[in-house]
Amino acid sequence: DQQVKQNSPSLSVQEGRISILNCDYTNSMFDYFLWYKKYPAEGPTFLISISSIKDKNEDGRFTVFLNKSAKHLSLHIVPSQPGDSAVYFCAATPGNNDMRFGAGTRLTVKP
Amino acid sequence: NAGVTQTPKFRILKIGQSMTLQCTQDMNHNYMYWYRQDPGMGLKLIYYSVGAGITDKGEVPNGYNVSRSTTEDFPLRLELAAPSQTSVYFCASSYSGRGPGPRDEQFFGPGTRLTVL
């Protein structure tokens, strides 16, 4: 039962352009959403999060948008840099210890 | 500050063997977690602990056991290894698990790649 879905396994963008990574969820009990970034042979690292009481959270080049009615969130990276090339995981939790992750999107930023 | 450390980095087991994956954190976090990541899939929670002496099942606990005798350590035990347990295992910790909020950010170790043949 895949409650968090990232339907794009990969995304390739040019350096300096915008990267948009998408995530859909099915469980209406989720009220906190996170994005993690993962480099090869390393564990995921926290990137940015958003509570369900907000529809946007911004941190430098990273912005997460939440559309609760569509059960959809997206991560925008502007401008994209080659160092952003990694796998990005979307995660959601209903506010307890049950964190559900998407399968990840591999972002490649070309110089 | 080493963060979350995991040993070993790689391991090959034969079917039916047992082993323990070690996890240690030095951030004095109360909450610790074990996840597995199968190829092309997201991370799935195996077990978690909210403090020393307290553990609970996650989404996929079958075939695993855990213990938490200290704040720092959270070992994961595989009994009677099966090919279905071939995966990458990640340990994580957080200050609290109450959620939501930035204090609940989970810090991950580098992972243990396990193959069962």
Side-chain angles (χ1 to χ4, degrees):
Chain A
D1 177 22
Q2 195 76 7
Q3 297 186 28
V4 178
K5 297 179 184 178
Q6 294 176 257
N7 293 319
S8 298
S10 62
L11 174 68
S12 181
V13 299
Q14 208 66 35
E15 180 179 5
R17 306 294 291 267
I18 184 172
S19 296
I20 300 177
L21 294 91
N22 293 304
C23 178
D24 298 292
Y25 61 95
T26 57
N27 189 341
S28 58
M29 297 301 291
F30 290 147
D31 65 359
Y32 195 60
F33 305 88
L34 307 92
W35 285 94
Y36 282 83
K37 177 179 178 180
K38 185 183 179 306
Y39 292 116
E42 295 182 11
T45 55
F46 171 76
L47 189 58
I48 192 170
S49 63
I50 187 167
S51 167
S52 61
I53 63 173
K54 295 186 175 181
D55 54 19
K56 176 182 174 182
N57 189 26
E58 195 170 351
D59 183 1
R61 296 185 297 113
F62 302 91
T63 302
V64 56
F65 295 92
L66 175 63
N67 182 333
K68 289 188 291 293
S69 60
K71 293 191 176 67
H72 177 83
L73 65 156
S74 60
L75 174 68
H76 292 211
I77 306 174
V78 183
S80 301
Q81 299 173 354
D84 296 330
S85 297
V87 177
Y88 290 78
F89 290 99
C90 171
T93 174
N96 55 21
N97 297 292
D98 188 7
M99 185 94 75
R100 300 297 174 108
F101 285 78
T105 296
R106 181 178 301 278
L107 174 65
T108 302
V109 181
K110 298 179 180 177
Chain B
N1 219 358
V4 180
T5 56
Q6 293 182 237
T7 55
K9 285 187 166 52
F10 305 94
R11 183 72 186 266
I12 298 176
L13 282 182
K14 293 183 179 178
I15 294 172
Q17 286 185 319
S18 301
M19 77 163 293
T20 299
L21 282 67
Q22 301 292 344
C23 175
T24 300
Q25 54 92 8
D26 62 0
M27 296 174 282
N28 202 30
H29 284 169
N30 291 322
Y31 286 68
M32 295 188 75
Y33 312 82
W34 273 106
Y35 292 90
R36 61 177 285 173
Q37 185 191 12
D38 300 330
M41 305 289 287
L43 284 73
K44 293 192 175 182
L45 183 65
I46 305 171
Y47 271 95
Y48 66 95
S49 168
V50 303
I54 306 170
T55 62
D56 210 343
K57 296 177 180 178
E59 187 183 355
V60 289
N62 291 344
Y64 307 94
N65 279 300
V66 293
S67 59
R68 183 98 181 269
S69 57
T70 66
T71 299
E72 296 78 22
D73 300 305
F74 190 41
L76 177 72
R77 178 89 178 151
L78 277 73
E79 305 281 2
L80 299 175
S84 61
Q85 293 178 303
T86 294
S87 191
V88 180
Y89 292 82
F90 291 100
C91 179
S93 71
S94 63
Y95 179 77
S96 75
R98 285 189 296 275
R103 285 157 63 89
D104 307 301
E105 172 195 340
Q106 293 186 15
F107 294 81
F108 284 81
T112 294
R113 185 175 294 275
L114 176 68
T115 302
V116 182
L117 300 174

